[in-house]
Amino acid sequence: MDARTLRYLTVAISFVALFSTTDAATHQTVNFAVTARNPEIAEQVGKSAEVYRQQLAIFWLGKPLPNWSRPCKITVNEGALGAGGQTTFQFVRGEVLNWRMEEQGSLERILDSVLPHEINHTIFACHFRRPLPRWADEGAATLFEHRSEQLKQLSLLNEVIRNKHEVISLRDLLAMKEYPRGQRPMLTLYAQGYALADFLVQQKGRHAYLKFIADGERGNWEDAIRENFDHEGIDSLERNWQGWVLAGMPKLTLPRDQMLAANDDSSEAVSQ
């Protein structure tokens, strides 16, 4: 496949450098090269990135990823208003190259939300090695954000579902490989993607979620739903999913931190 640059955003924001490159500090790990305003932040982000890379790969794939041939470059704008990030990389003849991340927000939100979200994109890129529907990639990444960030998504989602004219139909959502235009539609995609990913992973586990994405893209989403989940098709899934959202999204699995911790003992412990 020809080189194609993929760009993933945690939120629709603009990035503004908060420090000059001459004043920046860097920290190098095996898979990441971090630039930040001081060496302590650079080191903390680098170490956390390696931990998330290992934990998230084990969670989804059952084993760590091999080391990358070149480190992912991370630029940290700690202290910027609003937590957010972006990740870019290229698919080149089946390989994933030229990783870059930019992250901003408070250090707390960078470490507990932005970083795991962006790292999750790299796990999916290494596994699928092709562009994915945006809901599937962004939804899965949001599963590992701090609960305070997830609640922002859910507040919007409840509003959108009740104001039916704004909701993206599931038939359209499943197939979307590009971000919609406009901030509100983009935020709606994130919110719906997160809730749908949460619903599906809680129902049948992470392996079924990955297989569902692969099956849906190879064949059609109707068959993929029937094969991997207990729904009759897109319309059935949409009704059941929206009903679950409006019921308050009752939890069926462990919270994010406990899910990742459980993988230290067993990669199968929280899949069902």
Side-chain angles (χ1 to χ4, degrees):
M1 155 175 206
D2 294 335
R4 179 177 178 184
T5 300
L6 273 293
R7 183 168 180 260
Y8 294 92
L9 302 172
T10 55
V11 290
I13 56 176
S14 298
F15 286 84
V16 180
L18 300 182
F19 51 85
S20 69
T21 55
T22 56
D23 296 332
T26 60
H27 181 78
Q28 179 92 35
T29 69
V30 174
N31 294 291
F32 298 95
V34 184
T35 301
R37 67 167 66 244
N38 64 56
E40 291 78 16
I41 292 175
E43 181 177 3
Q44 192 170 3
V45 170
K47 289 181 176 178
S48 296
E50 291 286 1
V51 170
Y52 281 127
R53 185 181 185 274
Q54 180 180 47
Q55 289 183 334
L56 288 166
I58 292 173
F59 178 82
W60 290 110
L61 310 177
K63 60 183 179 181
L65 293 175
N67 292 330
W68 292 323
S69 58
R70 293 185 179 180
C72 171
K73 296 180 180 180
I74 303 179
T75 301
V76 179
N77 287 334
E78 181 267 334
L81 294 177
Q86 68 177 25
T87 296
T88 61
F89 48 83
Q90 291 181 312
F91 293 116
V92 182
R93 294 184 294 277
E95 297 298 323
V96 192
L97 306 172
N98 300 326
W99 306 101
R100 290 181 181 272
M101 291 184 192
E102 295 184 25
E103 304 188 349
Q104 74 172 42
S106 68
L107 182 58
E108 181 181 26
R109 285 291 87 86
I110 288 172
L111 294 174
D112 68 19
S113 295
V114 181
L115 190 56
H117 183 116
E118 300 304 324
I119 296 296
N120 205 85
H121 287 319
T122 71
I123 303 303
F124 273 35
C126 289
H127 177 65
F128 288 101
R129 297 183 181 272
R130 63 180 184 273
L132 297 176
R134 294 301 189 181
W135 76 267
D137 214 337
E138 297 296 355
T142 306
L143 291 175
F144 298 94
E145 293 185 13
H146 189 270
R147 186 60 178 167
S148 64
E149 295 300 308
Q150 293 172 346
L151 288 175
K152 296 175 185 177
Q153 306 277 8
L154 300 183
S155 176
L156 172 63
L157 180 60
N158 277 277
E159 180 181 336
V160 165
I161 289 179
R162 290 188 169 93
N163 299 335
K164 297 181 182 295
H165 65 281
E166 286 189 298
V167 72
I168 302 171
S169 73
L170 186 56
R171 199 170 297 275
D172 290 339
L173 185 72
L174 289 172
M176 291 178 71
K177 288 194 174 181
E178 301 296 337
Y179 293 114
R181 293 184 178 181
Q183 185 178 44
R184 180 77 170 188
M186 179 182 285
L187 294 176
T188 298
L189 178 143
Y190 274 76
Q192 290 189 215
Y194 160 57
L196 183 58
D198 196 14
F199 184 56
L200 296 176
V201 172
Q202 288 198 60
Q203 283 197 322
K204 292 291 185 176
R206 58 199 184 276
H207 299 142
Y209 183 81
L210 296 179
K211 185 174 181 296
F212 169 60
I213 296 170
D215 290 348
E217 289 200 294
R218 280 198 300 265
N220 65 73
W221 292 104
E222 295 278 5
D223 291 341
I225 290 169
R226 286 190 286 267
E227 182 173 341
N228 293 285
F229 298 98
D230 299 324
H231 307 282
E232 296 175 359
I234 293 176
D235 293 341
S236 172
L237 173 57
E238 186 163 34
R239 286 193 303 271
N240 295 335
W241 164 67
Q242 288 192 8
W244 176 75
V245 170
L246 294 174
M249 298 175 64
K251 286 294 180 183
L252 305 176
T253 59
L254 296 170
R256 189 277 303 272
D257 293 340
Q258 294 180 41
M259 284 197 294
L260 290 179
N263 280 284
D264 293 338
D265 299 322
S266 171
S267 63
E268 300 297 327
V270 297
S271 65
Q272 302 298 331

